[in-house]
């Protein structure tokens, strides 16, 4: 549990949350960012790190990962604090008028301004459409491995064909009582050396591989006892296991923002186009999460929104100071902040 | 061309396909519950559909990228495809697809 006081709390470290750090920084405003992912970049690094983007002004071609790396470089002088791997779970107004953004890890960020740069919401693991799976989550069904010890001497079932499925097959096989990997085909979207290692374990009888999918779960009180598997020929059989790890990547769900008490329109936050503030004073929304007449979900639009938001945020954080409009090219003051003065 | 799409509660929708557009775009623009998180970049597997057996052979075969991305889809079957990777054309008039569960 840690409490931080700052000027601006930013929810989301996608490209727009990152650029907001820059625009706020030029105005001497400090920021803390929260993201459920374990690294910056949002959609750019999670969905298309290797794909080229062609419509960033001044960068004829840049991949999702490169754009993120460059933004991180650009905002470095402003020393923002990142809280990765944490879900922003609640937003409350304090008696002194400031806001408190709380995360599921117990982090509390107190600031007069909150910027929601949450994209389409948070990235969460895909949940297989198997009836009653919720009842086993956290006990027998896990979408990530937090403590490997929890799988010692267990009969583990892993589903999926990507790097997570393969990596955890290799890591858990030595400590599990038994380990079975199920995938719908005999091919994998994973690093070749992991696939080779997995096949060696199968050949040595240490891992079982089935071309199948999980159709049903059986057990009681959250404790899994067996699953029904179905092969390519639709034939079904029962497989005994007590831990099930489905690895099908991430998907985007709006998540806790829905319960922040903000005005939402079809899962988006309506804002004005002068300040990009929501209908709640002090809460701004920029990037893919906001909506207004003519909105385009483009990175370029989000950057513009960040710049205007920062001007308005300044007046809230420093109500008695006058905002001076300056260019980075000619202002020695701004250049000092950027650490580029000769 | 027409696309006959079955949604997750079993209701059938007859949609007008547009030459050169992806089936995902037609489903999405018709307001059917297809997530298509990546907007058709073959990067999310949330535009997963089952293609009616009689149409399966008439589609252009899956690219390696689509086969790989289907590994991230849920409840994959032999007739699974990513709808953003199927392009509408007159040859596919009457194409029948079912939106996969999520
Ligand atoms: C395949 C693809 C190609 C694209 N190509 C282009 C292009 O060429 N040009 C262009 O301009 N745009 C493109 N886009 C769109 C662009 O990526 C988005 O507009 C951009 O990522 C939006 O940035 P953002 O910071 O608003 O949100 P996001 O990138 O979605 O980031 C939001 C972040 O907030 C986090 N978050 C949300 N809720 C919470 C919570 N409660 N707690 C913790 N964290 C939370 C999420 O985990 C996420 O990391 C493309 C998108 C895709 C998918
Ligand atoms: S829309 Fe993302 S893979 Fe088809």
């Amino acid at each position: 549990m840690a409490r931080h006081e700052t000027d601006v709390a930013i929810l989301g470290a996608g490209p727009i949350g990152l650029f907001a750090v820059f625009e706020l920084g030029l105005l001497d405003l400090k920021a803390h960012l929260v993201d459920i992912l374990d690294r910056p970049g949002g959609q750019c690094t999670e969905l298309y790190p290797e794909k080229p983007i062609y419509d960033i002004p001044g960068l004829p071609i840049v991949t999702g990962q490169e754009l993120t790396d460059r933004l991180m470089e650009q905002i470095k002088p402003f020393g923002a604090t990142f809280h990765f791997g944490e879900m922003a779970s609640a937003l409350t107004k304090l008696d002194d008028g400031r806001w408190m953004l709380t995360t599921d890890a117990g982090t509390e960020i107190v600031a007069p301004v909150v910027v929601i740069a949450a994209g389409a919401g948070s990235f969460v693991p895909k949940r297989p459409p198997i009836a009653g799976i919720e009842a086993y989550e956290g006990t027998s069904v896990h979408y990530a491995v937090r403590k490997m010890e929890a799988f010692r001497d267990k009969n583990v079932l892993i589903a999926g064909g990507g790097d997570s499925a393969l990596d955890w097959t290799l890591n858990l096989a030595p400590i599990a009582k038994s380990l079975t990997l199920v995938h719908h085909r005999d091919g994998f979207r994973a690093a070749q050396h992991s696939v080779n290692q997995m096949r060696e374990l199968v050949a040595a009888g240490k891992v079982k591989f089935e071309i199948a999918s999980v159709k049903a779960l059986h057990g009681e009180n959250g404790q899994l006892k067996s699953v029904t598997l179905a092969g390519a020929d639709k034939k079904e059989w029962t497989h005994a296991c007590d831990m099930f790890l489905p690895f099908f990547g991430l998907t985007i769900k709006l998540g806790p923002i829905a319960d922040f008490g903000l005005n939402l329109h079809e899962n988006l936050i309506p804002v004005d186009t002068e300040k990009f503030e929501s209908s709640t004073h002090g809460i701004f929304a920029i990037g893919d999460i906001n909506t207004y007449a003519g909105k385009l979900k483009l990175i370029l639009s989000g950057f513009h929104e960040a710049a205007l938001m920062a001007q308005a945020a300044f007046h809230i954080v420093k109500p008695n100071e006058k905002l001076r409009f300056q260019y980075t090219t000619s202002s020695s003051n701004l250049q000092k902040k950027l650490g580029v003065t000769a | 061309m027409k696309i006959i799409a079955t949604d997750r509660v079993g209701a059938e929708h007859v949609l007008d396909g547009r030459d050169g557009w992806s089936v995902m775009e037609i489903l999405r623009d018709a307001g059917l519950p297809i997530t298509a998180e990546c907007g058709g970049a073959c990067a999310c597997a949330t535009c997963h559909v089952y293609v009616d057996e009689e149409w399966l052979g008439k589609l252009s075969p899956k690219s390696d990228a689509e086969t790989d991305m289907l590994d991230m889809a849920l409840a994959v079957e032999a007739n699974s495809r990513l709808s953003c990777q199927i392009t509408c054309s007159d040859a596919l008039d009457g194409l029948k697809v079912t939106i996969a569960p999520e």
Side-chain angles (χ1 to χ4, degrees), chain A residues 25 42 52 56 59 66 69 94 106 149 163 166 225 241 246 249 311 331:
Chain A
I56 303 297
L59 290 177
E66 283 164 358
D69 293 345
L94 302 180
E149 275 308 304
D163 282 308
L166 271 291
K225 294 212 166 94
C241 62
Q311 303 281 312
S331 158

Side-chain angles (χ1 to χ4, degrees), chain A residues 126 183 185 189 251-252, chain B residues 37 44 68-69 71-72 77:
Chain A
K126 282 185 191 150
H183 186 41
R185 65 173 177 129
R189 181 182 181 266
T251 187
I252 306 174
Chain B
E37 229 152 59
C44 71
D68 274 358
M69 200 24 83
D71 282 356
M72 292 295 127
E77 300 289 346

Side-chain angles (χ1 to χ4, degrees), chain A:
Chain A
M1 179 93 115
R3 191 178 178 121
H4 308 272
E5 305 213 349
T6 186
D7 294 326
V8 181
I10 303 177
L11 193 168
I16 312 310
L18 296 180
F19 194 63
V21 172
F22 184 84
E23 290 295 333
L24 292 164
L26 288 182
L27 307 182
D28 275 330
L29 301 180
K30 294 273 171 227
H32 278 241
L33 295 93
V34 177
D35 205 303
I36 183 71
L37 294 178
D38 56 7
R39 60 202 156 134
Q43 294 174 47
C44 296
T45 42
E46 189 55 42
L47 289 173
Y48 60 106
E50 310 290 339
K51 286 197 166 62
I53 310 172
Y54 299 99
D55 60 351
I56 303 297
L59 290 177
I61 174 171
V62 65
T63 65
Q65 184 63 54
E66 283 164 358
L67 178 67
T68 305
D69 293 345
R70 286 176 169 232
L71 284 165
M72 288 302 282
E73 185 188 332
Q74 195 169 22
I75 67 176
K76 206 163 168 226
F78 301 114
T81 306
F82 289 90
H83 304 271
F84 286 122
E86 296 185 29
M87 178 77 96
S89 50
L91 181 63
T92 35
K93 190 157 188 158
L94 302 180
D95 289 341
D96 63 8
R98 290 183 301 170
W99 295 96
M100 184 167 76
L101 189 65
T102 314
T103 76
D104 61 353
T107 303
E108 296 173 344
I109 303 168
V110 174
V113 168
V114 175
V115 175
I116 315 252
S122 54
F123 281 92
V124 292
K126 282 185 191 150
R127 169 194 276 162
I130 305 169
I133 189 166
E134 297 89 336
Y136 297 99
E137 287 171 357
T139 46
S140 298
V141 173
H142 302 272
Y143 299 100
V145 176
R146 292 201 195 277
K147 283 203 211 84
M148 278 178 53
E149 275 308 304
F151 299 88
R152 182 175 292 279
D153 300 327
K154 301 282 185 196
N155 295 302
V156 179
L157 177 70
I158 293 182
D163 282 308
S164 302
L166 271 291
D167 289 349
W168 286 115
T169 296
L170 302 179
N171 287 328
L172 295 178
I175 64 166
K177 187 166 169 195
S178 76
L179 195 144
T180 304
L181 172 68
V182 292
H183 186 41
H184 71 93
R185 65 173 177 129
D186 191 8
F188 299 88
R189 181 182 181 266
Q192 195 52 49
H193 64 89
S194 320
V195 177
N196 295 344
Q197 271 180 281
M198 180 275 290
R199 292 203 195 279
E200 280 167 26
L201 289 175
V202 172
K206 292 188 174 134
V207 163
K208 205 167 167 195
F209 172 58
E210 304 265 21
I211 300 178
S213 51
V214 179
K215 294 290 173 198
L217 308 177
H218 314 288
E220 53 191 20
N221 302 328
Q223 184 50 58
L224 196 61
K225 294 212 166 94
S226 66
V227 300
T228 302
L229 295 179
D233 54 5
K234 307 232 150 121
K235 234 191 232 131
E236 299 194 346
W237 69 95
T238 307
H239 171 90
C241 62
D242 27 44
M243 288 288 199
F244 175 35
L245 293 160
F247 290 118
F248 295 99
L250 303 179
T251 187
I252 306 174
K253 292 269 180 283
L254 181 61
I257 296 168
D259 307 316
F260 281 6
L262 300 171
N263 184 13
L264 287 178
H265 177 72
E266 290 178 351
N267 284 352
L268 298 168
I269 303 175
V271 291
D272 66 72
T273 50
E274 181 194 339
K275 303 186 268 199
F276 297 93
E277 193 170 26
S278 72
S279 57
T280 308
H281 184 57
I283 311 285
F284 296 79
I286 57 175
D288 281 10
I289 191 74
N290 75 14
T291 180
Y292 52 85
K295 167 73 182 180
L296 281 180
K297 287 189 188 178
L298 287 177
I299 295 167
L300 135 96
S301 316
F303 287 172
H304 160 81
E305 295 161 14
L308 269 64
M309 170 283 293
Q311 303 281 312
F314 179 88
H315 292 296
I316 296 178
V317 180
K318 307 189 176 204
N320 302 319
E321 285 184 35
K322 189 153 167 47
L323 188 61
R324 188 170 156 208
F325 179 78
Q326 304 175 92
Y327 288 126
T328 54
T329 35
S330 46
S331 158
S332 55
N333 173 303
L334 293 186
Q335 289 170 1
K336 207 162 106 205
K337 291 178 198 171
L338 289 165
V340 292
T341 33

